[in-house]
Amino acid sequence: MARAASILRAGGLVAFPTETVYGLGANALDTDAVRKIFTAKERPGWDPLIVHVSDLAMARTLARALPPVFETLAARFWPGPLTMVVEKAACVPEEVTARRPTVALRMPRHPVAQALLAAAQLPIAAPSANRFGRPSPTCAEHVVADLGDRVDLILDAGPTELGVESTVLDLTQSPPVILRPGGVTREELGGLRVVGGVADEVAAKGLAGPGMTLKHYAPRAAVEIFEDEAALQARATELRGRCVGVLVPTAKNLFAELRRLDAEGVDVILCVLPAAEGIGLAVRDRLQRAAGGRRA
Ligand code: AMP
Ligand code: MG
């Protein structure tokens, strides 16, 4: 942990586990270090990074002003898989926020992420530790496969607990907008009036955040999604003779299974979408984008 902290302090990259997926971390206040994240991931500069904080006091140093709802939600969901978008403080480099006036903040609850933040005493900018456009990494092996020696150190704590990314909630709009469904469900946000979080609603209202590109999280195989089992069966019959994988998705296995089916060399991955409720919303969102917006 001391070595990881000193790498971050020296402007290097450390991959680390969170309760959602593995992150690729750099000192959020060091512009050159942040640029290395974009280079390593081959991530376009328009896609902003989430900044991970050790506590509310650190969050305050990165925001211009925190709306009252921020403190309410932090008290309830932090540490945890909720990212909140607020107006940024001047100290946050433009590279982190893709030149937006806002910054995305999250306090992770994974003990290794917390220990790293405590040891480094820095806000850590960290997107998922995959190549841009690929399924997010839920274990250290995925990070090695995608980033290899582009990262200075990987902290391996085994598979992550949740398997899908944090919920991104924009607090600069009223009511707050779910830019990306994730680990904290829309139902859990219950008391709060929020909009967004359902892909169709997001597309129709144009609510999607930056980086919410239609094709993302994609394995090499083509992904086809279905609303029910019968439709999948019919397609499987049509595809007879091709190498087809059938994915039965949960939040936890989703990204690992997409990678595993790729490794098996299947041509097509067929998948029935889970119901649009609870964590199912996040799983649907990722599968819809793994399918590149195609719908059977
Ligand atoms: P990743 O950590 O790789 O899942 O990517 C972080 C995602 O958080 C981005 O793709 C954006 O969708 C979202 N995000 C980060 N910063 C902002 C921001 N300032 N405004 C809106 N969305 C953001
Ligand atoms: Mg990502």
Side-chain angles (χ1 to χ4, degrees), residues 134-160:
R134 299 263 301 137
S136 296
T138 56
C139 65
E141 288 77 9
H142 298 161
V143 182
V144 174
D146 271 21
L147 301 178
D149 56 11
R150 297 180 180 192
V151 44
D152 297 305
L153 186 75
I154 301 172
L155 297 171
D156 181 357
T160 59

Side-chain angles (χ1 to χ4, degrees), residues 228-241:
D228 60 69
E229 187 86 34
L232 184 147
Q233 289 286 357
R235 180 65 176 143
T237 307
E238 271 172 33
L239 290 170
R240 189 158 293 158

Side-chain angles (χ1 to χ4, degrees), residues 180-256:
R180 175 178 76 184
V184 168
T185 64
R186 194 154 129 135
E187 292 86 344
E188 285 177 288
L189 290 170
L192 188 71
R193 196 165 72 87
V194 294
V195 296
V198 180
D200 297 335
E201 180 188 356
V202 167
K205 297 195 180 135
L207 298 169
M212 300 286 99
T213 43
L214 211 48
K215 173 106 184 189
H216 209 77
Y217 309 108
R220 289 179 189 89
V223 175
E224 295 185 17
I225 51 180
F226 303 88
E227 288 292 347
D228 60 69
E229 187 86 34
L232 184 147
Q233 289 286 357
R235 180 65 176 143
T237 307
E238 271 172 33
L239 290 170
R240 189 158 293 158
R242 309 268 310 276
C243 187
V244 175
V246 175
L247 169 59
V248 181
T250 65
K252 198 177 163 88
N253 78 6
L254 173 65
F255 291 130

Side-chain angles (χ1 to χ4, degrees), residues 45-253:
W46 47 257
D47 195 358
L49 308 179
I50 293 171
V51 179
H52 295 72
V53 297
S54 53
D55 50 33
L56 209 53
M58 189 183 273
R60 280 199 193 93
T61 66
L62 303 168
R64 202 169 70 87
L66 294 177
V69 65
F70 183 100
E71 312 242 345
T72 310
L73 291 171
R76 169 100 201 272
F77 295 105
W78 277 13
L82 180 67
T83 296
M84 291 184 274
V85 173
V86 295
E87 282 182 58
K88 81 175 194 77
C91 65
V92 180
E94 293 202 308
E95 283 75 4
V96 171
T97 66
R99 291 175 220 314
R100 308 194 138 232
T102 54
V103 63
L105 302 174
R106 167 161 117 84
M107 187 198 304
R109 71 165 178 245
H110 194 292
V112 172
Q114 290 189 343
L116 182 62
L117 283 158
Q121 289 288 303
L122 290 170
I124 302 177
S128 50
N130 52 299
R131 292 268 179 116
F132 184 72
R134 299 263 301 137
S136 296
T138 56
C139 65
E141 288 77 9
H142 298 161
V143 182
V144 174
D146 271 21
L147 301 178
D149 56 11
R150 297 180 180 192
V151 44
D152 297 305
L153 186 75
I154 301 172
L155 297 171
D156 181 357
T160 59
E161 173 198 337
L162 290 173
V164 288
E165 299 87 345
S166 60
T167 300
V168 178
L169 186 66
D170 184 356
L171 298 185
T172 69
Q173 305 187 55
S174 183
V177 173
I178 299 175
L179 298 176
R180 175 178 76 184
V184 168
T185 64
R186 194 154 129 135
E187 292 86 344
E188 285 177 288
L189 290 170
L192 188 71
R193 196 165 72 87
V194 294
V195 296
V198 180
D200 297 335
E201 180 188 356
V202 167
K205 297 195 180 135
L207 298 169
M212 300 286 99
T213 43
L214 211 48
K215 173 106 184 189
H216 209 77
Y217 309 108
R220 289 179 189 89
V223 175
E224 295 185 17
I225 51 180
F226 303 88
E227 288 292 347
D228 60 69
E229 187 86 34
L232 184 147
Q233 289 286 357
R235 180 65 176 143
T237 307
E238 271 172 33
L239 290 170
R240 189 158 293 158
R242 309 268 310 276
C243 187
V244 175
V246 175
L247 169 59
V248 181
T250 65
K252 198 177 163 88
N253 78 6

